[in-house]
Amino acid sequence: LDTGRYFTLNETGTHVWRLLDRTATLGEIEASLLAEFDSPPQRVWEDLVACVADLAREELIQLEPG
């Protein structure tokens, strides 16, 4: 709120956000997305990595190793 910038997420991004809120690993999020959406595994992984990278770049999340 301090920046005055707001972000919106599509259905998949919202699903990722909810899982990140529970400190899920990327592998757990990937498995959940594969179970929830009818998309090829490679596409799911690429989209997940892109989404998480965008959120981190905007400083909306902090990534932890491991």
Side-chain angles (χ1 to χ4, degrees), residues 2-29:
D2 294 338
T3 65
R5 295 171 50 203
Y6 297 89
F7 299 88
T8 59
L9 297 169
N10 63 16
E11 181 182 4
T12 307
T14 300
H15 190 85
V16 170
W17 182 260
R18 287 187 181 131
L19 291 170
L20 286 170
D21 191 40
R22 291 185 269 173
T23 63
T25 66
L26 289 182
E28 292 167 338
I29 295 171

Side-chain angles (χ1 to χ4, degrees), residues 2-66:
D2 294 338
T3 65
R5 295 171 50 203
Y6 297 89
F7 299 88
T8 59
L9 297 169
N10 63 16
E11 181 182 4
T12 307
T14 300
H15 190 85
V16 170
W17 182 260
R18 287 187 181 131
L19 291 170
L20 286 170
D21 191 40
R22 291 185 269 173
T23 63
T25 66
L26 289 182
E28 292 167 338
I29 295 171
E30 178 189 29
S32 179
L33 290 171
L34 288 169
E36 184 75 21
F37 300 99
D38 185 28
S39 294
Q42 183 66 29
R43 175 70 189 261
V44 168
W45 179 253
E46 290 170 358
D47 289 350
L48 171 60
V49 170
C51 179
V52 169
D54 288 344
L55 293 170
R57 185 177 54 253
E58 295 296 338
E59 299 180 352
L60 297 170
I61 62 170
Q62 291 182 342
L63 300 177
E64 295 181 9

